[in-house]
Amino acid sequence: MADNLRRLTNTSSFSVLQDKLESWHKDYHVISCDQNLNRCCELIELTSKIQGQLFAILNLTATEGGHYAGVDTLKMRLLPWLGTCFSMARPSVTDDTSLQLIQDSVEKNRRIRELSASHDSDMLKMDTELCSTRRQLDSVRAELADAQNELDETKSKSATTLLATEDEILQLKADLRSALEQVEIYKRKLDALDDYERQIRLLRDEVSYLSTEKAMLQERLVRSRSPSPLPRLSRSSSPMRSESPTRAQLTNSSRHARLVSRFSDLYAVERLEAQTLLRRYISDLEMVQKIIFIAVVESFKTAKLAYRQFKLRVRKTLSPSHFGPESLEDAAVDYIVRNLDLYDVQASVNDVINAMNVNPRISFPPEVDFILISAMIRDTCRVAFAMQTLDPPLDLAFASDGELYNDIKYRRSYDSEFTAPLVLYHVWPALVEGDAVVVKGEAVTRRGALVMTEQ
């Protein structure tokens, strides 16, 4: 049965029948009546052959099923169909209807074949596109893998470079620290060299001064031993004044200008540095400025007292051996000018800090000390001590809170009330030479300053 069915399928009898039927339909109005009848008979013969093959397959199939297999199908479908085909009665379905049904069936089969072909074509295209997409995906994956490998390689190189850079930075920092240490060492050596040179100059001046005194003493000794009657001057008589001035007198104007400039530098540099240090611990700017002002005033007081004591010691030391033409006072001042390094500035700094600790006008946090501004106090004491060697000496103008503002001695601070007549407190003292103001100070003026100071 399977072989018969395969042969029937391979011969494509129904396709041939359909082709012949379509060809006859096209030529129906062209050919003659006999030709139309011949073609119709030809189709009937072809149909009967196909039916014969189908009946043969039906017989074989029924035989293979045994005695009882397929009985219901034959009863329900084949026998009724045979009865309707061979019955003499008029069928319920007309010829036109049967032909229409056959045409519909043929049309459906043709559409199915077209849809199947279209579906196969679409599937082929989709398979082609899918293969192309897969190839592209594989290419993208390969590129992604290459990019990942390059990224990993770049990361490893960057990590190696970073480690090398960090090592270089550490080495450079070490070199920088070493260079800074060398610079500090050289600075100390340079400072020491400057000190040595200054001491050498002082010693040379001392040697020159002593040589001059020695020559003068030798000359006086020669004169005293000379037989010519020369008038002798007693110690009790008034001393002779030298026509040539001393070193202190010669350098008075230059030292005056230098010390005035140094006092201005104290205001512009050291004061601001001390103010910055104090503001780390004291938030009140007024209290910080008062502390700095009192430190400067106390430094001048202590330096003047230290100068008087130092001068007394020098006079006492020079008095037994003084025979020079200049007065003992001038000789003492000249000696102090030559030996300013002998001033014990640290003792003055300690005295200033002690005086500030008991000053009722200022207060200070207990966790720190006034030694925090000792650098400014030390420089101020040195300037004040050197100012006492001038002729006339420089000093600070008297100042008190609540005093009447004097435009000659002071200038107002930026946060002052410029119409206020009274001084609330002083920021920096004025430098005077006798009654003349050399450098103006700075003061803060406010209305009701007298009441504020009393409180």
Side-chain angles (χ1 to χ4, degrees):
M1 185 277 298
D3 295 335
N4 295 331
L5 183 60
R6 184 174 60 255
R7 284 194 300 270
L8 179 61
T9 304
N10 292 332
T11 55
S12 301
S13 301
F14 288 97
S15 298
V16 174
L17 179 62
Q18 179 65 27
D19 293 337
K20 289 182 176 293
L21 186 60
E22 291 177 357
S23 178
W24 183 28
H25 178 264
K26 291 179 181 179
D27 300 335
Y28 182 79
H29 298 286
V30 178
I31 60 178
S32 62
C33 179
D34 293 335
Q35 291 176 342
N36 287 327
L37 292 177
N38 288 327
R39 290 194 178 187
C40 182
C41 292
E42 182 180 358
L43 291 175
I44 292 172
E45 292 175 357
L46 182 59
T47 302
S48 63
K49 290 179 180 180
I50 294 173
Q51 288 181 350
Q53 293 178 1
L54 291 175
F55 276 109
I57 293 171
L58 178 64
N59 186 23
L60 292 174
T61 302
T63 304
E64 290 176 355
H67 295 284
Y68 301 102
V71 175
D72 294 333
T73 302
L74 294 175
K75 289 182 179 180
M76 298 297 296
R77 299 196 62 178
L78 180 60
L79 294 179
W81 177 74
L82 291 175
T84 55
C85 289
F86 293 100
S87 176
M88 297 302 293
R90 184 176 178 83
S92 60
V93 180
T94 61
D95 295 337
D96 294 337
T97 303
S98 299
L99 292 174
Q100 185 65 34
L101 292 175
I102 293 172
Q103 291 178 357
D104 292 341
S105 177
V106 171
E107 183 66 22
K108 287 181 180 180
N109 291 332
R110 186 179 61 79
R111 290 181 180 178
I112 289 173
R113 287 195 301 271
E114 291 178 356
L115 291 175
S116 178
S118 175
H119 176 70
D120 293 339
S121 177
D122 293 339
M123 288 297 295
L124 182 60
K125 290 180 180 180
M126 291 179 65
D127 289 340
T128 305
E129 292 178 357
L130 180 60
C131 293
S132 177
T133 305
R134 285 178 178 176
R135 286 193 297 271
Q136 293 178 359
L137 181 60
D138 293 338
S139 176
V140 171
R141 286 178 179 175
E143 292 178 357
L144 181 61
D146 295 338
Q148 185 66 33
N149 294 331
E150 292 179 358
L151 180 61
D152 294 338
E153 185 178 358
T154 304
K155 285 182 178 179
S156 61
K157 291 182 179 178
S158 300
T160 305
T161 306
L162 181 60
L163 292 176
T165 305
E166 289 180 353
D167 294 337
E168 292 177 358
I169 291 173
L170 294 176
Q171 183 64 32
L172 290 175
K173 287 182 178 179
D175 295 341
L176 179 60
R177 285 194 297 269
S178 177
L180 292 176
E181 291 175 358
Q182 292 292 332
V183 170
E184 291 296 331
I185 293 173
Y186 291 146
K187 283 183 178 179
R188 295 193 197 100
K189 291 182 179 180
L190 184 60
D191 294 338
L193 182 61
D194 293 338
D195 293 337
Y196 293 152
E197 291 179 352
R198 185 170 61 254
Q199 292 178 7
I200 290 172
R201 287 194 300 270
L202 293 175
L203 291 175
R204 286 177 180 174
D205 293 339
E206 287 293 329
V207 170
S208 177
Y209 178 73
L210 293 175
S211 299
T212 305
E213 287 188 352
K214 180 181 178 181
M216 294 175 62
L217 290 174
Q218 288 177 352
E219 184 180 354
R220 291 180 61 185
L221 182 60
V222 170
R223 289 177 184 177
S224 64
R225 292 178 179 179
S226 177
S228 60
L230 293 175
R232 297 289 299 275
L233 292 177
S234 62
R235 289 287 301 274
S236 61
S237 62
S238 60
M240 295 177 62
R241 300 289 294 182
S242 174
E243 295 181 358
S244 62
T246 62
R247 179 181 179 182
Q249 294 171 348
L250 289 174
T251 59
N252 187 74
S253 60
S254 62
R255 288 186 295 112
H256 181 279
R258 180 175 59 82
L259 291 172
V260 170
S261 176
R262 185 71 184 93
F263 184 79
S264 300
D265 292 340
L266 287 175
Y267 169 78
V269 180
E270 279 79 358
R271 179 186 69 90
L272 295 179
E273 292 178 354
Q275 181 172 308
T276 302
L277 288 174
L278 292 174
R279 286 300 298 272
R280 297 177 183 177
Y281 306 96
I282 304 175
S283 59
D284 187 7
L285 179 61
E286 178 180 344
M287 179 57 62
V288 170
Q289 292 176 340
K290 285 183 177 180
I291 290 173
I292 295 175
F293 175 79
I294 292 174
V296 174
V297 173
E298 292 294 338
S299 298
F300 265 79
K301 290 181 180 178
T302 306
K304 288 192 294 182
L305 179 59
Y307 176 78
R308 288 194 294 269
Q309 294 174 353
F310 188 74
K311 187 176 180 181
L312 289 175
R313 291 196 301 270
V314 172
R315 286 172 59 90
K316 185 177 180 181
T317 303
L318 296 178
S319 179
S321 61
H322 179 68
F323 298 103
E326 75 276 358
S327 65
L328 182 60
E329 181 73 18
D330 293 340
V333 174
D334 190 65
Y335 180 83
I336 294 173
V337 171
R338 294 170 182 269
N339 299 277
L340 289 175
D341 291 341
L342 299 178
Y343 168 46
D344 188 6
V345 65
Q346 186 59 42
S348 297
V349 172
N350 296 333
D351 293 339
V352 171
I353 292 176
N354 292 332
M356 293 175 66
N357 286 330
V358 296
N359 194 308
R361 295 172 56 194
I362 55 178
S363 60
F364 206 72
E367 60 270 10
V368 291
D369 192 4
F370 287 118
I371 198 173
L372 188 67
I373 56 173
S374 61
M376 188 200 72
I377 296 174
R378 181 178 293 103
D379 293 337
T380 306
C381 288
R382 286 175 177 168
V383 172
F385 186 87
M387 284 181 176
Q388 306 312 307
T389 64
L390 299 175
D391 186 22
L394 298 177
D395 199 358
L396 299 181
F398 175 77
S400 63
D401 294 344
E403 67 176 341
L404 187 65
Y405 174 73
N406 189 346
D407 189 56
I408 298 176
K409 293 196 301 183
Y410 301 104
R411 59 175 173 270
R412 301 177 193 266
S413 62
Y414 70 94
D415 56 345
S416 298
E417 296 180 3
F418 289 88
T419 59
L422 300 180
V423 175
L424 178 61
Y425 67 92
H426 297 81
V427 177
W428 192 255
L431 186 67
V432 296
E433 184 178 6
D435 294 332
V437 177
V438 180
V439 179
K440 280 187 176 184
E442 184 177 344
V444 178
T445 58
R446 300 278 171 79
R447 292 189 176 276
L450 185 59
V451 179
M452 294 181 184
T453 54
E454 290 178 354
Q455 292 178 351

